[in-house]
């Protein structure tokens, strides 16, 4: 796969063959690449077994949960269901929460906290990433490095300067 594919595939109407067609003239020995769509490294690694360095579609996805002793647990769960919000936070490649995740944080965070809820969540994930190493698998190492970079940006934006 490539961010600038050299070919595209399609299904020919008759006789229903899969066709791979170059998008431009290729030189002898040049690699033929296709696009897998606008996917994060998380998706690429999970679905296809590889990740791309400097992927413009990269992101971090973190599962979150409600505290079972939260006095507003039932109300929060009802609100999450009515808004159809998944129980995960998503950070774009610059470490910013998506709009959907900003809404989720407002629902999950106790009103008395500022950014400490997120900072703790992000720092815990950073520790888990730093404990993970994969020197033997290039694509997993690429994925881990991109995750570390995004989460470091998110933590940096929450810490007072």
């Amino acid at each position: 796969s490539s961010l600038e594919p050299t070919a595209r595939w399609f299904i020919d109407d008759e006789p229903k063959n899969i066709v791979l067609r170059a998008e431009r003239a290729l030189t002898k020995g040049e690699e033929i690449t296709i696009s897998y769509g606008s996917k994060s490294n998380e998706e690429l690694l999970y679905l296809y077994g590889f990740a791309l360095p400097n992927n413009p579609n990269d992101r971090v996805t973190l599962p979150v949960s409600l505290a079972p002793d939260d006095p507003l647990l039932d109300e929060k769960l009802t609100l999450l269901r009515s808004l159809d919000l998944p129980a995960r936070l998503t950070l774009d490649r610059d470490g910013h929460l998506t709009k959907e995740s900003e809404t989720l944080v407002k629902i999950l965070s106790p009103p008395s906290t500022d950014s400490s809820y997120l900072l703790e969540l992000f720092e815990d994930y950073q520790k888990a990433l730093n404990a993970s190493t994969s020197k033997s698998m290039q694509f997993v190492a690429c994925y881990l490095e991109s995750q570390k970079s995004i989460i470091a940006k998110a933590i940096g934006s929450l810490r007072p300067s």
Side-chain angles (χ1 to χ4, degrees):
S1 174
S2 171
L3 296 174
E4 296 179 28
T6 58
R8 66 180 179 91
W9 68 271
F10 60 94
I11 298 176
D12 199 6
D13 289 336
E14 290 297 325
K16 303 283 186 214
N17 290 326
I18 295 177
V19 177
L20 185 63
R21 180 166 291 149
E23 293 285 284
R24 60 174 174 75
L26 301 173
T27 59
K28 184 177 180 177
E30 181 178 357
E31 181 180 15
I32 297 173
T33 58
I34 62 170
S35 172
Y36 284 77
S38 299
K39 296 195 177 354
S40 68
N41 277 340
E42 181 178 71
E43 292 171 292
L44 290 172
L45 189 60
Y46 178 75
L47 295 171
Y48 306 110
F50 68 91
L52 296 172
N54 303 312
N55 182 345
N57 304 302
D58 213 1
R59 66 171 184 250
V60 166
T61 305
L62 298 171
V64 293
S65 59
L66 292 164
D69 59 346
D70 186 332
L72 298 173
L73 179 63
D74 290 336
E75 291 83 355
K76 288 180 178 183
L77 286 171
T78 300
L79 182 57
L80 290 176
R81 282 189 208 106
S82 71
L83 294 173
D84 198 27
L85 285 176
R88 65 178 177 267
L89 294 177
T90 303
L91 298 164
D92 66 21
R93 70 176 289 177
D94 295 319
H96 301 117
L97 288 170
T98 62
K99 293 291 181 201
E100 188 177 72
S101 292
E102 287 176 0
T103 302
L104 182 62
V105 168
K106 289 176 185 173
I107 296 168
L108 294 178
S109 299
S112 61
T113 63
D114 45 21
S115 60
S116 60
Y117 170 81
L118 285 178
L119 192 57
E120 183 179 331
L121 182 70
F122 296 164
E123 286 175 339
D124 286 348
Y125 186 62
Q126 186 178 48
K127 286 176 191 167
L129 286 170
N130 288 334
S132 302
T133 57
S134 181
K135 298 197 184 326
S136 62
M137 296 181 66
Q138 173 190 359
F139 293 128
V140 174
C142 176
Y143 166 74
L144 289 172
E145 287 308 310
S146 75
Q147 294 285 288
K148 289 176 186 179
S149 172
I150 293 169
I151 206 72
K153 290 174 189 174
I155 290 170
S157 72
L158 292 174
R159 287 201 175 125
S161 30

